[in-house]
Amino acid sequence: MKITIFGTGYVGLVTGACLADVGHHVLCMDVDQGKIEKLKNGQIPIYEPGLESIVKHTVEAGRLAFTTNTEEAVAHGTLQFIAVGTPPDEDGSADLQYVTAVAKSIGQYMDDYKVVVDKSTVPVGTGDKVRDAVRSQLDKRGLELEFDVVSNPEFLKEGAAINDFMKPDRIIVGTDSERAMELLHEVYYPFNRSHDRMIFMDIRSAELTKYAANSMLATKISFMNEIANLAERLGADIENVRRGIGSDPRIGYHFIYPGCGYGGSCFPKDVQALARTARDCDYDSRLLNAVEAVNNAQKHVLFDKISHYFNGNLKGKVVAIWGLAFKPNTDDMREASARTLMQDLWNAGASVQAFDPEAMEETQRIFGDQPGLTLCGTKEQALKGADVLAICTEWKEFRSPDFESIAAALKEPAVFDGRNLYEPEMLERYGMIYYAIGRGRNQFHGG
Ligand SMILES: NC(=O)c1ccc[n+]([C@@H]2O[C@H](COP(=O)([O-])OP(=O)(O)OC[C@H]3O[C@@H](n4cnc5c(N)ncnc54)[C@H](O)[C@@H]3O)[C@@H](O)[C@H]2O)c1
């Protein structure tokens, strides 16, 4: 099938590559010329395991191509996927300007039947806005062409995006059109062979499903962080509590890891946007507001512990940070907890020596001018001359480090672990003081 994808970010590029991989003919369009240039030269602008080889072989096979030309993009696909960003507006609502711009372009250039498939995460009712935007352009052109609008939210996880796309738990398709339903069925047929993963519904329910899924996951994390904060005050160990409750199949082990807060391009903005949607329809979403407030506070917990360790005097201290990306296996630093920690440390007069296996370029791009930041080529270099170590991302290479050399390199033998990677007893054996999240009374330090 001929498919156009607008937006070649994490979602658009993965979607385009995977659809081309199973045999569809995909044209990816982006307004970012630099990105498209890179892609045309075989460079992948983001770090996503497995993506590069799929892009390479599908381009070579002639099934995946890139363009900045809107007219060419609209002409290519019967299916027009929208996978552009929906960042938070000033009031927390999702900014729909990019989605609407694409919808307008489709109306401006289409000259036969199109299915406009919205993959971006958008508030309930956006399907109607997309339809209106396409139709108003057709009206301007005096055309009465047929088109359908579909909501097809994406559930992939950065870092495991290819696998998630290739083997989805579910494919949500919201539409009121039989014709669009059949086409979407055909698009996704290759991903749907072992059992039927497609769930058809109305557009509004599909739009809400995406927000509900992310908000539920964020709620689990904030809940666990709240219990972790309680555990510190009560002298309990959250890791025991986690195992204790995870064993109940009604609760399960997924997404109940305590830590220094969730980040990324989705959870923070989606929880905020849903709360905003609630306010717009005169519903006070106390739960969603609390999930966000708990998370915002949680991002400062590591700093509070470090500050307490130094009796509130961080001037001139050097903190090594391992992990800058918002989670492992990505270079994405949007809303990452490490950003909050670095900012807190700089505000308190400390400096940072930072290392991340993939996000160094991104850190350089965002914080390159920051005088209190030294970017280090390895995790060992980050420790050299540092007073203490803080961990913000649970990359595999941090899980079993050489504790002896950590203890030897640091001026103070203290590790502040925002992802609970180690056993406290183990670090004690190496003469280190270990501060994690929610692991007993000695872990509580104000805040
Ligand atoms: N990143 C994730 O893990 C993830 C997962 C599920 C859903 N989503 C949702 O998918 C959407 C896209 O997210 P992302 O992380 O891929 O965003 P991104 O910021 O990585 O990429 C968006 C791309 O859209 C391009 N763009 C903007 N306007 C355009 C236009 N008019 N025409 C063509 N391209 C245009 C931008 O240049 C950019 O390259 C968002 O709504 C997001 O909430 C993201």
Side-chain angles (χ1 to χ4, degrees):
M1 298 179 89
K2 287 182 128 190
I3 295 169
T4 297
I5 316 254
F6 288 92
T8 52
Y10 286 88
V11 169
L13 188 55
V14 168
T15 302
C18 292
L19 292 177
D21 196 37
V22 297
H24 299 304
H25 287 261
V26 181
L27 181 59
C28 285
M29 189 274 171
D30 205 292
V31 288
D32 184 335
Q33 291 204 346
K35 226 178 225 187
I36 293 296
E37 266 324 299
K38 271 190 177 176
L39 286 161
K40 282 185 169 174
N41 292 326
Q43 291 166 273
I44 307 295
I46 52 169
Y47 174 73
E48 185 59 51
L51 181 59
E52 190 169 357
S53 70
I54 300 185
V55 170
K56 189 170 182 285
H57 82 78
T58 48
V59 167
E60 280 167 9
R63 291 197 305 275
L64 179 64
F66 303 98
T67 186
T68 52
N69 184 323
T70 313
E71 196 171 347
E72 182 194 352
V74 177
H76 175 80
T78 306
L79 291 119
Q80 305 267 310
F81 279 75
I82 305 180
V84 297
T86 45
D89 227 334
E90 273 154 27
D91 62 359
S93 61
D95 180 351
L96 289 178
Q97 61 167 309
Y98 308 105
V99 171
T100 323
V102 175
K104 275 189 184 160
S105 315
I106 296 171
Q108 214 177 333
Y109 293 115
M110 65 187 269
D111 52 18
D112 54 2
Y113 172 74
K114 301 283 179 196
V115 187
V116 184
V117 186
D118 185 16
K119 227 176 203 330
S120 298
T121 303
V122 291
V124 177
T126 303
D128 296 335
K129 289 185 181 157
V130 165
R131 196 187 305 273
D132 292 347
V134 176
R135 186 160 290 141
S136 72
Q137 293 301 312
L138 288 175
D139 288 347
K140 271 190 196 160
R141 295 166 63 203
L143 294 176
E144 270 193 37
L145 295 174
E146 242 191 285
F147 67 96
D148 283 309
V149 175
V150 169
S151 167
N152 172 221
E154 181 50 56
F155 295 92
L156 61 77
K157 300 182 287 295
E158 285 176 28
I162 301 291
N163 191 57
D164 286 347
F165 196 92
M166 293 295 194
K167 293 181 192 147
D169 295 323
R170 75 299 214 189
I171 301 165
I172 302 285
V173 175
T175 181
D176 49 13
S177 149
E178 276 289 326
R179 189 173 177 187
M181 214 183 273
E182 276 166 22
L183 284 167
L184 265 291
H185 199 265
E186 206 175 323
V187 170
Y188 284 117
Y189 182 71
F191 308 93
N192 206 27
R193 283 164 55 92
S194 73
H195 61 276
D196 192 5
R197 295 175 164 104
M198 297 193 75
I199 305 174
F200 291 97
M201 57 181 76
D202 61 281
I203 297 181
R204 284 180 171 251
S205 303
E207 290 168 337
L208 186 55
T209 299
K210 174 64 193 176
Y211 281 105
N214 274 359
S215 298
M216 178 73 188
L217 295 172
T219 302
K220 284 183 97 172
I221 297 173
S222 275
F223 172 81
M224 218 42 201
N225 284 336
E226 188 144 291
I227 301 294
N229 294 337
L230 265 177
E232 289 184 9
R233 287 153 176 84
L234 296 170
D237 183 345
I238 193 66
E239 289 303 318
N240 290 333
V241 178
R242 181 179 63 77
R243 283 192 290 271
I245 64 169
S247 54
D248 182 335
R250 292 170 304 175
I251 297 172
Y253 291 106
H254 291 298
F255 265 80
I256 55 167
Y257 288 94
C260 52
Y262 61 74
S265 69
C266 293
F267 288 1
K269 87 167 167 55
D270 292 350
V271 170
Q272 246 184 55
L274 188 54
R276 179 72 221 185
T277 299
R279 273 201 295 285
D280 287 346
C281 53
D282 292 328
Y283 181 79
D284 177 17
S285 177
R286 282 164 291 186
L287 185 56
L288 293 174
N289 294 336
V291 168
E292 190 189 352
V294 167
N295 191 58
N296 290 342
Q298 197 68 14
K299 285 182 165 177
H300 297 282
V301 161
L302 271 191
F303 173 78
D304 292 341
K305 288 174 192 285
I306 298 171
S307 175
H308 185 271
Y309 180 84
F310 288 112
N311 296 317
N313 186 7
L314 281 161
K315 272 217 166 63
K317 298 292 177 200
V318 179
V319 177
I321 296 188
W322 284 3
L324 302 162
F326 85 92
K327 68 173 184 179
N329 297 323
T330 181
D331 59 353
D332 196 341
M333 285 186 65
R334 289 179 279 187
E335 306 278 336
S337 300
R339 293 174 77 143
T340 310
L341 175 60
M342 289 197 289
Q343 209 64 61
D344 284 348
L345 289 167
W346 294 328
N347 291 345
S351 59
V352 169
Q353 297 185 168
F355 169 74
D356 186 282
E358 290 298 335
M360 300 312 284
E361 242 177 69
E362 188 61 0
T363 313
Q364 170 68 31
R365 189 184 67 78
I366 303 168
F367 295 111
D369 298 337
Q370 178 66 41
L373 175 65
T374 307
L375 295 178
C376 302
T378 63
K379 62 181 189 300
E380 289 75 22
Q381 268 174 26
L383 299 173
K384 262 186 207 150
D387 287 281
V388 297
L389 167 65
I391 301 172
C392 292
T393 318
E394 64 276 33
W395 282 94
K396 270 213 184 83
E397 73 164 276
F398 302 154
R399 288 189 188 183
S400 196
D402 179 348
F403 291 115
E404 242 165 55
S405 57
I406 297 179
L410 294 174
K411 288 188 196 153
E412 308 259 348
V415 175
F416 298 85
D417 179 359
R419 298 298 168 191
N420 288 6
L421 295 183
Y422 313 124
E423 277 306 317
E425 300 75 31
M426 200 158 61
L427 272 82
E428 272 162 30
R429 280 204 297 277
Y430 288 94
M432 278 187 275
I433 314 169
Y434 181 53
Y435 299 92
I437 306 288
R439 308 209 65 178
R441 203 182 292 283
N442 65 333
Q443 304 284 325
F444 171 53
H445 289 129

